[in-house]
Amino acid sequence: MRPSPDRIERLPEQYFTTLLARVLAAGDDVIDVGRGNPDVPPPPHVIEALVESSSDPAIHGYPPFAGLRVTKQAIADRYASVYGVELDPEREVAFLPGTTTALVELALVLAQRGDRILLPDPGYPDYNSAVALAGAERVALPLGKDGRPDWEGAPRERVAAVYLNYPANPSAVAAPPGVFGEAVAFAHETGAAIVHDFAYGDLVFDGRRPESFLAEAGAREVGVEMFSLSKSYGMAGWRLGFVVGNTEIVARLNLVQEHARSGVFVPLQRAAVAALTGPQETVEERRALYERRRDRVLESIPGARCEGTFFVWFPLPDGLTFERLLDEHRVAVAPGEGFGEQGRGFARISLATQDEALDEGLVRLRRAFAAE
Ligand SMILES: Cc1ncc(COP(=O)(O)O)c(C=O)c1O
């Protein structure tokens, strides 16, 4: 076989795979409070929709590549009712197998080789993989304390896309006021596309309202928003998500879909429709559960913050590292440096951790802090 192509060679270490292997190798007595895997199952009516649809013998053929009309309509209806954003289901919605797929494909359909893509720092590590696969150049976009990007310091030339993410993983900030307007202005100035990752859109706390990028004037002329069923409905393993907004970008994603993926299994789409259009109480119950856990973490960890997502971001006391927490105190967090240079000295706790484990993790973290 010939050597692997450079797009493979350029892929960074997969942060979460490496982290999980390190934590598992440390032994069974470790409490893992770093991992963001939703711990509450999807609503029963969603599972019923999957079972019922998949028991139809005629349903197992290829799906329509770009998604069922009813799926895209359900997405448009939810965006209208929850975020006040009207969407054309045929031209402004691309239905995809998860946001991870979306964030990689967006880099592929937006950037030429050598173009720049600006990524929030700290930010979600999988964006780096997207940039590598597209053969683009990653440029860090440092976020201030309030989560606002350093637009002044950003390059203006050859910027194909800017990825943003509010509420933000890992820093857990909600969108700072005016940030979407600033993003639209930056896009007009530079020609960059804006990609807003709204994976935690519904998970905001302290009475905040979810804020869609597409509610900003002019947003859909310059960009798109990604949404995931993983977090709002506890459906991470189902791999369901979508991209909404700019018609040209949506068309390019649908073209890739025709060439590379052949769509999403119809019973999964029926279940997605059930999730998006059925009773929404569980979304609020889930949000409230994470908020209660968030409160317990904030009481325990000095300097911790969280306005949304299911993560809490906090500064590690001097000299206390991820390794020492794991090896000496038997508690695993997600180390901040994996999220970018600005994450150095910080760590992330996941609220998608069962109450008992979370409480024990907090006991161990407090003990570790006291021993410093
Ligand atoms: C910020 C962010 N974006 C995207 C994703 C991927 O979500 P999905 O399950 O839809 O692939 C995650 C998952 O943890 C995330 O934290």
Side-chain angles (χ1 to χ4, degrees), residues 206-326:
D206 307 310
R208 289 182 176 80
R209 302 260 325 132
E211 278 185 67
S212 164
F213 166 64
L214 293 184
E216 180 67 37
R220 73 185 79 193
E221 277 83 69
V222 297
V224 289
E225 184 159 83
M226 307 185 267
F227 190 90
S228 173
L229 274 74
S230 300
K231 324 291 175 180
S232 297
Y233 300 99
M235 297 169 72
W238 299 49
R239 315 308 310 126
L240 298 170
F242 51 87
V243 173
V244 289
N246 186 273
T247 52
E248 166 67 22
I249 301 175
V250 163
R252 292 185 202 171
L253 287 172
N254 281 332
L255 187 63
V256 172
Q257 174 130 281
E258 284 168 21
H259 285 271
R261 274 189 283 100
S262 313
V264 173
F265 185 41
V266 169
L268 284 170
Q269 296 197 48
R270 296 279 176 205
V273 171
L276 295 165
T277 61
Q280 299 294 306
E281 289 80 20
T282 63
V283 177
E284 170 52 23
E285 284 162 18
R286 203 175 288 273
R287 193 204 63 74
L289 169 72
Y290 294 137
E291 185 164 9
R292 282 197 299 280
R293 289 179 181 165
R294 187 276 314 246
D295 292 343
R296 291 218 297 283
V297 176
L298 293 191
E299 278 165 19
S300 290
I301 308 288
R305 62 179 302 177
C306 171
E307 299 172 342
T309 70
F310 52 46
F311 300 111
V312 176
W313 185 238
F314 67 100
L316 285 167
D318 277 348
L320 194 59
T321 57
F322 161 77
E323 281 79 17
R324 285 193 52 216
L325 283 171
L326 187 64

Side-chain angles (χ1 to χ4, degrees), residues 98-100 103 124 127 165 169 197 199-200 228 230-231 239-240:
T99 315
T100 306
L103 65 90
Y124 186 55
Y127 303 150
N165 168 221
N169 179 10
D197 182 349
Y200 298 90
S228 173
S230 300
K231 324 291 175 180
R239 315 308 310 126
L240 298 170

